[in-house]
Amino acid sequence: MDSEAARTARESLELAFHMSNILETGLDRQTLSVLIALCDLGFNPEALAAVVKELRMEHSSSSSSSSLTASSLSIP
Amino acid sequence: MEDQKILDLVKELVHRLQSQNLQKPPSKNPDSINPNQALRYAIRILSSRLTPSIVADEASMAESIKRQLATQGKSSQALAFADLYSKFASKTGTGSVNNKWAVLYLLKVISEDRNITKKQSISRVSNSVFVNSAVSGGLPALFDGELSENLKSLCNREMPGKGWSGGVLLVSKDPENIRDKAFREFANLVKEENDVSEETLVRDLLYSARGIDGSKVKFDENVDGYVLPNSIKVPRATRVMVQKLSELGWLFKKVYGYVSDSKAEDVGTVGQAFCASLQEELTEYHKLLAVLDAQAMNPIPLVSDSASSWDYLSLRRLSVWFTEPMVKMRLMAVLVDSCKVLKGGAMAGAIHMHAQHGDPLVHEFMSRLLRRVCSPLFEMVRSWVLEGELEDRYAEFFVVGQPVKAESLWSEGYRLDARMLPSFISPSLASRILRTGKSINFLRVCCEDRGWADAAMEAAAASGTTTGKGGLGYGESDELELLVVEAAKRIDKHLMKVMYNRYKFKEHCLAIKRYLLLGQGDFVQYLMDKVGPELSEPANTISTFKLAGLLETAVQSSNAQYDDHDILDRLRVKMMPHNTGDRGWDMFSLEYEARVPLNTVFTESVMERYLRIFNFLWKLRRVEHALIRAWKTMKPNCITSHSFIKLQQTVKMQLLSTLRRCQVLWDEMNHFISNLQYYIMFEVLEVSWSNFSNEMEVAKDLDDLLSAHEKYLHSIVEKSLLGERSQSLYETLFILFDHILRFRSLADRLYEGIHELQMRSINSQKQRGESLEPGSWVTDGKKALTQQASKFLSHMGKELDDIGKKYSSLLKGFISQLPVQQHIDLKFLLFRLDFTEFYTRPRAVL
């Protein structure tokens, strides 16, 4: 029984991961599984998405922070 | 416990995301990414939005993602996604994802976010400054530093590769789709349950709506309706619905049957208009059916492929389509039913009764119908009121004409037919309409007048309607009334003008009063003098021509000769049918010839009543005349009184008393007759005439005039005791007249006798004077004379007593009857006759 549940869970995750890839979310399996777990716990998907977005931004900001001073003037 | 788990998961998430970031080339200022702060930030975001902004619907979410992919041109990916999703959704039970919608939504939002980020990546300026400040300064530190250490160590780990490079693409559509399977099963079930498909039923119903039998739904004579035979197996609901919808076909059949069966001769113009408007409605109905036919061609889809076509026709849709036609058709069928036996105005009235409906649809429909139906009727009214034409080939109009002689055209020529009077025309208006047309016809036929056309034109102009066709419609009853009133006003005015000016109605009335009602005193006097001797002859010896000549002489010798010749020409002598032994007095009468158009007023019955009045008045005049003639002979003068001196004392006394009695009786009679005469002339004739003249002045139309004249005549008849109620009184009066006439002859005889006596006594005196010697025979003769005189006088006295007694008893009876008469004016007559209470008091004493 447990093993079946585990298999279902795995398959579900696999399917979700496929979908995530098709949608080009750029999430890896582990992150996705965490997000799914949080969703199951009833968190607002919008909020989760916002978290993902914000923390990624941090990443992009960190990656582009070198050009910060140069391009800050060109803010539309 | 739960919280801890959540916290762990969030930590893990933040860690993963940050580690993802870190796999990129390391940033120059790694301090800025503080895992601790990031965690706090994440928790803050999560706690700020607890509920999603859209409704949770898994299928529609999947659909929206699919569509989004398809619009982006990634159809193969969309297909693959659909496939994945169907599998994902089918995972149920333990271990599966519970909140699938949330996952899908999450994926979608992240995907969208990324797309935006990608698109903007070139022009985008990092808002890391803001983020940094927000993370470092804006958020208070909630967690310990060790957390950040932990995260930092994880950040340094290298990630194996990009997560989204993989994915399986499934091209084929899943044949084991459960939904499809279910629908297919449902379709099979439907097929099993029904012998006929819904399309066939719909098509059959459309046929039946045209009154044609379909392949399955057929007209059954026994049931009187369209039925689906019981042999065909359909669900009960379908059968009921077919039954309901096929009612339309039954109704159509009824209406169409009426429209196609009714012939012009049978239904008349109103019926034709009714049929035409029904036909128009049916055309509209056929148009709808054609549209429905086209829709019925589309196959009825199952619930699954609703997108294929929307304009198909199922039984339910048909029932919606049929709602309005059903109401109208039902209405038409009801009208057809109620109008089948009716025609003309009655039909319009019946339809009008149905138009009193609160439903705006029905009301609008009915008034449209009525406007058409009533147009021939209103056209008839118009031509009747303005032209006097009765264009009524099918006997539909509420005015009915019948061929009659000219003099009774007004009274009998036209009448209202109450059955044909529609209820929206009030009876008063109808009678006004009748009278207006009648006036025109009267003017045309009896008066040969053409002036009414101008009056009618004026009326039409005043009411704003052209004399052309089609001015009035149903619902414009005000306009109709205006037209009728205007026309009536003008036509009546014109008619009265013609009557008064051209036909001199007033003059003729006056002439009748003067000659037939003996208003012209000198004429009556002369006539009485001239024809009196002639009339004393037996009736069969009198020649009418001679009397006519005498009448002419009477006219010529009186003031009447200055009258209009036209009027005098009309005055004739009329001999009434007589019995043997009648005197000329009994049959003589005057007649006034009333020609067209005056004979509309002076009809034969009216002239008969005039004749009765004339006869009464003539008799009264004759009695009066007789009394006056009697007075001529008996008035006391010195010659007569002187001659009596010579008579013997006893005889003289006898003579005087007889004479006195005679005088008293005469006086009594004269009192009665002169007062009666006065009453008739001044309180009956003149008063009635004055009222009549006033009413003539204000009479607006011929009907007013007729009724005024009728009133005039009636009041004369009633007041002169000629009415039925005073029959006995009238008879008494005639006996009184007879007595007076008897008295007159008696008085004549008396005076003749006296005159004879006188002559003889004068003769004897002469003889005595001549001989101058008292001869014995003379004395003898004188004695004989005295004897003869006393005998004669006593005989006369007896007769006088007899007449006097009879007369006074009759008069008493007459007077006692007067107060119980209905007419108030007769009481004045009593008052006049018995002013001193001479007649009533002695009786009271007795």
Side-chain angles (χ1 to χ4, degrees):
Chain A
M1 191 61 191
D2 256 7
S3 68
E4 183 150 334
R7 197 165 60 85
T8 316
R10 205 167 53 244
E11 278 173 10
S12 293
L13 179 61
E14 200 64 26
L15 288 166
F17 184 58
H18 277 307
M19 286 194 278
S20 154
N21 281 347
I22 286 170
L23 292 172
E24 295 175 359
T25 52
L27 297 168
D28 58 11
R29 237 188 218 89
Q30 286 79 11
T31 319
L32 189 60
S33 74
V34 172
L35 285 171
I36 289 171
L38 282 169
C39 278
D40 269 2
L41 284 168
F43 275 90
N44 184 358
E46 281 174 27
L48 287 170
V51 170
V52 171
K53 186 184 166 192
E54 292 303 329
L55 292 182
R56 278 212 187 122
M57 264 176 198
E58 221 171 308
H59 134 73
S60 55
S61 75
S62 64
S63 65
S64 61
S65 56
S66 55
S67 61
L68 172 68
T69 47
S71 57
S72 60
L73 293 168
S74 65
I75 300 171
Chain B
M1 181 64 202
E2 192 82 342
D3 290 346
Q4 189 55 48
K5 196 178 162 192
I6 291 168
L7 188 59
D8 284 346
L9 280 168
V10 175
K11 264 186 203 162
E12 175 72 8
L13 177 66
V14 172
H15 168 69
R16 290 234 165 249
L17 287 171
Q18 288 207 322
S19 69
Q20 235 176 38
N21 293 346
L22 289 175
Q23 74 187 235
K24 302 274 163 71
S27 57
K28 281 167 189 171
N29 45 352
D31 290 347
S32 69
I33 310 151
N34 187 348
N36 219 353
Q37 282 178 342
L39 180 64
R40 264 181 248 136
Y41 184 43
I43 285 168
R44 200 181 138 196
I45 291 172
L46 286 177
S47 57
S48 68
R49 292 191 242 174
L50 285 174
T51 50
S53 58
I54 59 167
V55 181
D57 181 357
E58 190 185 327
S60 69
M61 183 53 68
E63 196 69 19
S64 113
I65 294 170
K66 213 163 44 174
R67 213 173 301 134
Q68 197 181 350
L69 285 169
T71 49
Q72 281 166 5
K74 304 170 194 166
S75 54
S76 62
Q77 283 173 8
L79 225 54
F81 177 84
D83 209 25
L84 284 170
Y85 166 69
S86 67
K87 280 186 200 163
F88 180 63
S90 66
K91 297 284 179 203
T92 47
T94 47
S96 66
V97 178
N98 294 326
N99 200 349
K100 295 196 179 68
W101 169 76
V103 174
L104 287 175
Y105 188 35
L106 173 69
L107 290 177
K108 184 178 179 242
V109 175
I110 293 172
S111 160
E112 277 166 7
D113 286 347
R114 257 182 86 90
N115 280 341
I116 292 161
T117 321
K118 252 195 243 165
K119 271 178 206 153
Q120 291 178 342
S121 60
I122 302 164
S123 64
R124 180 184 156 214
V125 177
S126 163
N127 50 359
S128 64
V129 182
F130 164 72
V131 173
N132 283 343
S133 68
V135 170
S136 53
L139 278 172
L142 285 169
F143 295 99
D144 295 338
E146 55 188 16
L147 188 72
S148 67
E149 286 301 311
N150 194 8
L151 283 171
K152 236 178 210 171
S153 66
L154 283 164
C155 282
N156 293 329
R157 243 170 60 188
E158 288 259 315
M159 289 299 283
K162 285 187 177 177
W164 61 81
S165 57
V168 185
L169 192 71
L170 291 172
V171 186
S172 70
K173 206 170 178 185
D174 180 21
E176 266 77 55
N177 195 327
I178 286 173
R179 255 169 92 100
D180 281 355
K181 231 190 267 173
F183 284 137
R184 234 173 285 132
E185 267 170 40
F186 173 68
N188 287 335
L189 199 69
V190 167
K191 254 181 217 155
E192 266 172 41
E193 269 188 357
N194 298 314
D195 283 353
V196 277
S197 64
E198 200 173 352
E199 283 96 332
T200 321
L201 284 178
V202 166
R203 227 162 288 150
D204 272 12
L205 281 174
L206 284 175
Y207 279 130
S208 78
R210 288 191 179 85
I212 308 167
D213 281 356
S215 57
K216 299 284 185 284
V217 181
K218 289 192 166 60
F219 191 79
D220 190 339
E221 293 290 344
N222 300 329
V223 191
D224 190 26
Y226 286 92
V227 287
L228 191 61
N230 284 327
S231 55
I232 296 168
K233 199 178 86 182
V234 286
R236 200 178 149 76
T238 316
R239 189 176 287 279
V240 168
M241 191 166 268
V242 166
Q243 210 171 359
K244 272 187 186 160
L245 293 179
S246 65
E247 186 198 344
L248 189 63
W250 183 81
L251 293 169
F252 171 80
K253 217 171 163 158
K254 198 180 187 80
V255 175
Y256 186 73
Y258 175 76
V259 170
S260 52
D261 283 354
S262 49
K263 292 182 199 70
E265 303 86 68
D266 299 338
V267 295
T269 51
V270 173
Q272 278 175 49
F274 179 52
C275 282
S277 49
L278 283 184
Q279 190 65 57
E280 206 166 80
E281 293 297 329
L282 288 184
T283 310
E284 286 293 312
Y285 170 72
H286 278 302
K287 272 185 203 160
L288 172 70
L289 286 186
V291 173
L292 292 180
D293 265 345
Q295 288 199 10
M297 292 301 162
N298 296 327
I300 301 172
L302 290 164
V303 197
S304 52
D305 37 33
S306 56
S308 64
S309 72
W310 59 272
D311 53 349
Y312 59 91
L313 212 56
S314 63
L315 280 177
R316 274 179 185 77
R317 286 188 173 212
L318 195 63
S319 77
V320 174
W321 276 113
F322 273 5
T323 316
E324 198 185 308
M326 189 84 90
V327 172
K328 286 188 182 174
M329 200 59 86
R330 208 170 281 157
L331 210 58
M332 286 195 266
V334 168
L335 290 180
V336 164
D337 258 353
S338 58
C339 296
K340 212 176 261 174
V341 291
L342 300 175
K343 58 193 276 190
M347 180 187 266
I351 297 173
H352 172 73
M353 293 315 274
H354 284 283
Q356 311 302 310
H357 204 287
D359 187 345
L361 174 78
V362 175
H363 192 78
E364 196 256 341
F365 173 79
M366 291 305 293
S367 53
R368 195 170 58 222
L369 193 70
L370 269 173
R371 217 166 289 137
R372 299 281 301 266
V373 168
C374 294
S375 64
L377 209 60
F378 280 95
E379 178 53 33
M380 283 179 215
V381 172
R382 201 195 56 73
S383 76
W384 171 248
V385 164
L386 294 182
E387 290 150 29
E389 299 283 353
L390 209 55
E391 295 167 0
D392 191 15
R393 275 179 56 203
Y394 305 109
E396 296 172 295
F397 197 33
F398 51 83
V399 173
V400 182
Q402 54 195 26
V404 285
K405 278 186 285 177
E407 70 251 34
S408 51
L409 177 94
W410 183 266
S411 54
E412 291 160 24
Y414 302 96
R415 61 184 176 82
L416 279 179
D417 186 353
R419 287 178 302 128
M420 287 297 164
L421 182 63
S423 46
F424 51 85
I425 294 178
S426 65
S428 67
L429 184 61
S431 61
R432 200 174 244 168
I433 289 172
L434 170 73
R435 201 183 53 222
T436 309
K438 210 158 69 171
S439 299
I440 293 179
N441 276 303
F442 183 75
L443 281 168
R444 192 162 45 194
V445 175
C446 301
C447 308
E448 287 158 356
D449 182 83
R450 294 268 159 256
W452 58 269
D454 298 335
M457 291 267 271
E458 255 177 58
S463 63
T465 335
T466 53
T467 38
K469 300 263 175 199
L472 294 160
Y474 169 72
E476 298 166 354
S477 43
D478 287 352
E479 277 89 339
L480 177 72
E481 194 156 354
L482 185 69
L483 171 71
V484 171
V485 167
E486 290 291 335
K489 205 168 70 189
R490 285 179 168 76
I491 301 263
D492 283 336
K493 204 170 147 196
H494 184 74
L495 176 59
M496 296 319 282
K497 216 167 75 189
V498 168
M499 281 301 267
Y500 285 153
N501 296 348
R502 196 165 145 202
Y503 291 99
K504 301 195 166 36
F505 178 76
K506 243 183 231 175
E507 282 80 353
H508 286 293
C509 280
L510 193 62
I512 287 179
K513 178 178 164 279
R514 277 163 58 189
Y515 301 122
L516 256 51
L517 304 184
L518 308 181
Q520 178 107 8
D522 57 343
F523 165 75
V524 177
Q525 195 62 44
Y526 278 113
L527 187 66
M528 195 64 82
D529 284 344
K530 296 271 186 244
V531 301
E534 194 73 24
L535 291 179
S536 305
E537 302 295 318
N540 46 8
T541 61
I542 295 169
S543 119
T544 316
F545 293 107
K546 197 170 179 190
L547 285 180
L550 291 174
L551 174 68
E552 185 68 23
T553 330
V555 167
Q556 288 306 326
S557 49
S558 71
N559 252 336
Q561 61 178 306
Y562 304 113
D563 226 340
D564 196 343
H565 278 289
D566 179 43
I567 288 170
L568 290 177
D569 283 350
R570 293 174 184 228
L571 196 61
R572 305 268 165 84
V573 170
K574 191 184 178 185
M575 303 302 278
M576 287 186 294
H578 51 81
N579 302 320
T580 47
D582 276 356
R583 294 264 147 190
W585 290 109
D586 298 318
M587 47 174 267
F588 174 80
S589 61
L590 285 180
E591 185 187 45
Y592 196 81
E593 188 197 18
R595 294 176 199 142
V596 172
L598 290 178
N599 54 10
T600 300
V601 181
F602 305 117
T603 57
E604 280 185 18
S605 71
V606 167
M607 291 321 284
E608 224 163 84
R609 284 158 81 189
Y610 269 124
L611 192 65
R612 274 187 68 200
I613 300 171
F614 170 80
N615 283 334
F616 170 68
L617 292 176
W618 184 245
K619 187 130 193 172
L620 184 62
R621 278 296 169 130
R622 184 189 157 201
V623 170
E624 189 202 15
H625 197 250
L627 278 177
I628 291 168
R629 288 282 293 276
W631 177 244
K632 267 188 194 166
T633 53
M634 65 193 269
K635 72 181 161 196
N637 50 32
C638 59
I639 300 167
T640 46
S641 58
H642 184 71
S643 63
F644 297 137
I645 299 166
K646 300 275 165 47
L647 283 171
Q648 227 174 36
Q649 196 60 33
T650 50
V651 177
K652 197 177 169 185
M653 283 310 290
Q654 201 181 359
L655 175 70
L656 281 177
S657 77
T658 311
L659 280 182
R660 193 175 175 280
R661 212 176 300 153
C662 181
Q663 295 274 11
V664 168
L665 197 55
W666 180 88
D667 197 47
E668 211 171 304
M669 283 172 177
N670 188 48
H671 169 75
F672 175 66
I673 289 300
S674 62
N675 275 310
L676 187 64
Q677 173 107 18
Y678 180 87
Y679 164 77
I680 295 289
M681 282 299 157
F682 293 98
E683 286 187 13
V684 176
L685 291 181
E686 286 303 328
V687 170
S688 300
W689 170 256
S690 145
N691 288 341
F692 179 44
S693 305
N694 291 339
E695 277 177 37
M696 235 188 324
E697 288 297 324
V698 297
K700 284 197 189 65
D701 51 60
L702 200 52
D703 275 339
D704 282 0
L705 202 60
L706 278 172
S707 69
H709 181 255
E710 177 62 29
K711 204 172 135 195
Y712 165 64
L713 204 53
H714 184 256
S715 84
I716 293 176
V717 167
E718 282 296 309
K719 289 184 190 175
S720 350
L721 308 171
L722 294 173
E724 278 178 18
R725 283 176 301 185
S726 43
Q727 190 88 35
S728 63
L729 208 58
Y730 181 66
E731 277 160 13
T732 320
L733 194 62
F734 262 65
I735 300 171
L736 275 175
F737 284 172
D738 281 344
H739 276 93
I740 293 171
L741 288 176
R742 260 181 69 201
F743 165 77
R744 193 242 153 144
S745 63
L746 187 70
D748 273 356
R749 256 168 41 218
L750 174 68
Y751 279 88
E752 225 169 282
I754 292 170
H755 197 65
E756 208 183 323
L757 283 175
Q758 224 171 326
M759 288 305 284
R760 276 164 78 173
S761 67
I762 287 170
N763 278 347
S764 65
Q765 264 181 359
K766 266 184 188 165
Q767 278 170 2
R768 208 169 44 189
E770 273 167 15
S771 63
L772 285 174
E773 51 182 288
S776 61
W777 63 272
V778 175
T779 327
D780 288 348
K782 198 179 179 183
K783 214 177 252 175
L785 192 70
T786 312
Q787 249 174 3
Q788 201 185 346
S790 78
K791 196 176 159 195
F792 169 74
L793 282 175
S794 64
H795 175 68
M796 277 295 161
K798 250 183 230 164
E799 279 203 26
L800 267 180
D801 277 348
D802 182 42
I803 287 180
K805 260 183 207 147
K806 276 188 186 159
Y807 173 80
S808 58
S809 79
L810 276 170
L811 188 64
K812 259 180 199 166
F814 179 78
I815 285 172
S816 70
Q817 267 180 320
L818 273 184
V820 297
Q821 292 305 309
Q822 297 283 326
H823 215 291
I824 186 108
D825 280 13
L826 287 173
K827 294 193 172 66
F828 290 115
L829 175 62
L830 170 69
F831 179 68
R832 189 174 287 286
L833 287 174
D834 192 22
F835 183 70
T836 55
E837 297 185 350
F838 173 76
Y839 296 106
T840 45
R841 189 167 283 169
R843 205 174 40 174
V845 169
L846 279 168

